Amino acid sequence: MLTARQRLLVLLTLCLALAAPLSAHAADRVPAAASDQASSRNPVIFVHGYNADPGVWGALRGDLRAAGYADSELFSWGYDTHQSVNEVLAGRLGAYVDQVRRDTGAARVDVVAHSFGSLVSRWYVKFGGGTAAVDHWVSLAGPNRGTSTAWACALWDQACRDMTPGSYVVKNLNGGDETPGAVKYATFWSPCDEVVNPDGSVPLTGAANTPVGCLKHNDLLGDDGTWAGVRAFLAS
């Protein structure tokens, strides 16, 4: 019968025998994963539009997963769409981008925005230090030069006021360089967009501006052709 000391020695021997291969396996796996993350695609942050939520990105998230993205590379930022672009939302987006970069170890991220989210993310890029943190920026049906439909709610809603043509936000975003820094910019727009008027509000000087055919405003969120263009741009 084993003494207490002998039982302890056996237990320690078993622990060491089990721990050694586990440690070796972990040492092989963890640095490789970190290396893969460092050398692979940027994390993608989705920024939804006015009166929407992160759920609108379900189709694109599925599309990018099918193209090889992992869930750990896809992030959907949710926010109160009735607040000020420049005074509140752009700063909060900046904090979220910083958190994603810390969590993933990525130096830069890609941003894909729909509608009002284009103004929020553009302000962050242009005035919030985002040129150093964003690699690709994509605007889907963004009212980049304002939209006349925003006058319908501008009386009581700050976000709507920010989207009106000639607003403080629109003027400053389009003053000087519309696509500053080393960021790669792309816009996708439709001549049948019932929300962004005029249609020419979406394209930006210095961006890759792509017409997507006759699609409604929210249809760009689920259109295969649009997503093929987004995938290609993110890979560029």
Side-chain angles (χ1 to χ4, degrees):
M1 183 174 180
L2 295 177
T3 66
R5 178 182 174 82
Q6 289 172 324
R7 287 198 299 269
L8 179 58
L9 288 173
V10 170
L11 180 60
L12 288 173
T13 301
L14 286 172
C15 288
L16 289 172
L18 291 171
L22 286 173
S23 298
H25 180 65
D28 289 340
R29 182 179 69 250
V30 174
S35 175
D36 289 346
Q37 176 65 31
S39 62
S40 66
R41 299 170 292 260
N42 298 317
V44 179
I45 297 177
F46 303 108
V47 183
H48 62 75
Y50 182 74
N51 267 349
D53 60 56
V56 302
W57 297 110
L60 178 56
R61 289 179 68 99
D63 184 271
L64 292 182
R65 282 195 299 269
Y69 280 79
D71 282 328
S72 59
E73 296 174 299
L74 304 174
F75 299 84
S76 300
W77 182 56
Y79 64 101
D80 180 352
T81 65
H82 303 286
Q83 295 183 308
S84 166
V85 166
N86 57 306
E87 295 177 354
V88 179
L89 298 178
R92 292 181 179 175
L93 174 59
Y96 185 79
V97 170
D98 289 344
Q99 184 64 55
V100 169
R101 292 169 67 202
R102 285 193 297 269
D103 290 347
T104 62
R108 306 182 83 178
V109 301
D110 294 335
V111 173
V112 179
H114 179 242
S115 194
F116 176 63
S118 301
L119 300 185
V120 175
S121 54
R122 274 187 74 201
W123 193 279
Y124 160 63
V125 170
K126 187 168 185 176
F127 300 112
T131 53
V134 176
D135 191 11
H136 297 79
W137 177 86
V138 178
S139 172
L140 305 176
N144 291 310
R145 302 182 191 282
T147 175
S148 60
T149 57
W151 288 113
C153 52
L155 184 62
W156 63 84
D157 191 285
Q158 181 60 50
C160 289
R161 287 192 288 275
D162 288 346
M163 285 188 283
T164 57
S167 72
Y168 175 86
V169 167
V170 168
K171 282 181 178 178
N172 280 273
L173 284 175
N174 298 307
D177 191 351
E178 295 179 358
T179 51
V183 180
K184 303 178 186 74
Y185 296 84
T187 73
F188 294 81
W189 62 278
S190 166
C192 300
D193 193 324
E194 79 283 14
V195 173
V196 177
N197 291 303
D199 299 329
S201 177
V202 183
L204 294 171
T205 302
N209 301 300
T210 303
V212 297
C214 189
L215 296 175
K216 297 295 185 182
H217 185 69
N218 288 332
D219 289 348
L220 276 75
L221 290 167
D223 178 62
D224 290 340
T226 301
W227 288 130
V230 171
R231 287 197 311 271
F233 179 72
L234 293 181
S236 66

